Amino acid sequence: MFALVDCNSFYASCEQVFRPDLRGKPVVVLSNNDGCIVARSKEAKALGVPDLQPYFKVENLLRRHGVAIFSSNYPLYGDMSRRVMSTLQGFDTPIEVYSIDEMFLDLSGHSGGELAPLIRDTVWRELRIPVSLGLAPTKTLAKLANRVAKNAPACHGVCILDEPYKWQWVLERTAVREVWGVGRRLESRLRDLGIRSALDLARANSKVLRRHTSVNLERTIEELNGRVCLVLDDLPALKKQIYSTRSFGSRARSLPPLQEAVAHYAARAAEKLRAQRHLTRAVHVFMHTSPHETGYHSASDVVQLACPSDDGRVIVAAARKLAEKLYQPGHTFLKAGVGLLDIVDRRHYQFDLLNRGQSARSDALMNTLDIVNEKLGRGTLFIAGQGTHRPWAMRQQFRSPRYTTRWGEVPQVRA
């Protein structure tokens, strides 16, 4: 039996953890640079606040109903996600972290009917994060069960599909587009074949459909019928490419702020690279102006490093040189990004006699930088090329404090 634990309206719920006065009230969270609504509490949904809507279009609606507005606070959300995962690990069940707010659990050997409510109540008691659980014999059915648990008040956050008649009842009432792995394009093709509901897909001939689609859909059909094809992945897949990109809070009109931004993204990408113990052999930099304005301009290029490296200084220097090469005066840049390509595992990469790779001093320096930033907060130590004032930084007009990752922003309790 698999269980999918999904944090309800996760970003909004994280904001309510440290603002108990907002529990039971409408809350929305905005995307990068306060652009669009990306998370809504159930109370905000009940008001008819649309998802993925530009903030400026619904600002009056939000103000009129007294909706609490927050900018995205990724350090807070990432840390709360780790805390949820740590709490779930206390139940001694194998875990697969599927996304920042979703985790699969393997409940083999456990009574799902007893454990699921206990998990729900424990996460709420220890973290004040509401979760929904969907239990079923396969991961695909667990996804559907979780959808029912989240949307059906009678379930109280837990839905168990442990018998064929139960999941067939759900499949009959679920549109095929709601099935995990069925996108909009595939839905259109399935409709042409007369498949409109999830039950239609479960009863379809998988061998015939495979001729029109792929083996992935064949596996989905097997899963919808309670036969396991997707096993639990205990270790997250390592990235073959690592990118760090952002739109600027204030557009870059000259080279210095553009280089600072690129250096910052390169340092962040290098940090992710070291976390998975890999090295990069190539650095990609791109930048562009607004596509909605006349005179759109974009530029990108890739540079090969002298030897594979995870040294932030080397990667930042390469990125800054590329930015200088790509920059053209007269353009106002809206976005830039840095990608690390041709990634290799540092534990197995074999250097040659003429190139022994980066030095032990570089390894020690990067290790020290990562330890300090992990203990005292990201950005405590940084490369000078990243700048200090950062006028290009992401616009976060409504950002809440980073309660759990910055000492200066830890909540204070007065008694």
Side-chain angles (χ1 to χ4, degrees), residues 94-354:
I95 294 177
E96 174 190 340
V97 179
Y98 179 65
S99 68
I100 191 172
D101 61 347
E102 293 178 286
M103 296 88 175
F104 281 105
L105 277 64
D106 185 349
L107 300 186
S108 301
H110 296 273
S111 171
E114 296 178 1
L115 188 58
L118 179 61
I119 291 174
R120 176 200 60 198
D121 296 342
T122 301
V123 175
W124 173 256
R125 184 182 67 250
E126 297 188 4
L127 300 174
R128 284 300 186 261
I129 295 289
V131 299
S132 298
L133 290 91
L135 282 68
T138 69
K139 291 170 72 174
T140 302
L141 286 173
K143 267 277 195 180
L144 290 176
N146 186 276
R147 183 170 174 268
V148 175
K150 186 173 293 187
N151 295 310
C155 290
H156 302 291
V158 176
C159 176
I160 303 176
L161 304 180
D162 53 356
E163 297 289 344
Y165 76 90
K166 293 182 180 179
W167 68 68
Q168 287 173 6
W169 187 91
V170 173
L171 293 177
E172 185 178 6
R173 291 158 178 79
T174 302
V176 70
R177 66 175 176 274
E178 302 295 343
V179 176
W180 188 27
V182 177
R184 184 176 301 175
R185 183 177 302 178
L186 182 54
E187 178 196 11
S188 177
R189 296 169 65 182
L190 292 176
R191 280 185 173 276
D192 293 339
L193 297 172
I195 297 174
R196 290 174 170 77
S197 71
L199 186 61
D200 292 337
L201 181 60
R203 291 175 173 173
N205 188 317
S206 60
K207 302 300 182 183
V208 173
L209 279 184
R210 184 174 177 178
R211 299 174 197 159
H212 299 275
T213 54
S214 67
V215 67
N216 292 329
L217 188 63
E218 184 177 5
R219 292 175 183 148
T220 298
I221 294 173
E222 293 294 310
E223 290 252 322
L224 290 177
N225 285 286
R227 294 184 284 271
V228 177
C229 291
L230 304 174
V231 297
L232 206 67
D233 187 1
D234 296 329
L235 297 175
L238 298 176
K239 297 180 180 179
K240 298 180 180 179
Q241 297 180 350
I242 296 176
Y243 272 85
S244 179
T245 68
R246 286 288 187 277
S247 296
F248 301 145
S250 178
R251 300 189 187 190
R253 292 177 167 82
S254 61
L255 179 59
L258 187 63
Q259 282 187 304
E260 283 189 5
V262 165
H264 184 76
Y265 303 152
R268 179 70 183 113
E271 181 183 334
K272 295 179 181 179
L273 182 71
R274 293 191 295 273
Q276 67 177 44
R277 297 185 57 79
H278 277 50
L279 306 171
T280 184
R281 294 189 284 198
V283 178
H284 174 218
V285 173
F286 71 87
M287 59 188 69
H288 64 76
T289 61
S290 173
H292 305 294
E293 298 176 358
T294 57
Y296 173 71
H297 173 75
S298 66
S300 68
D301 201 358
V302 176
V303 63
Q304 295 287 330
L305 300 181
C307 69
S309 176
D310 64 5
D311 191 325
R313 299 169 301 169
V314 173
I315 295 171
V316 165
R320 284 177 61 92
K321 286 182 180 178
L322 269 182
E324 183 177 8
K325 173 185 174 183
L326 296 173
Y327 173 75
Q328 291 186 13
H331 293 290
T332 302
F333 290 93
L334 174 68
K335 185 176 183 178
V338 175
L340 306 183
L341 313 178
D342 202 3
I343 290 176
V344 296
D345 191 328
R346 68 174 300 149
R347 293 167 294 183
H348 307 302
Y349 185 78
Q350 184 172 357
F351 293 91
D352 55 51
L353 292 175
L354 300 178

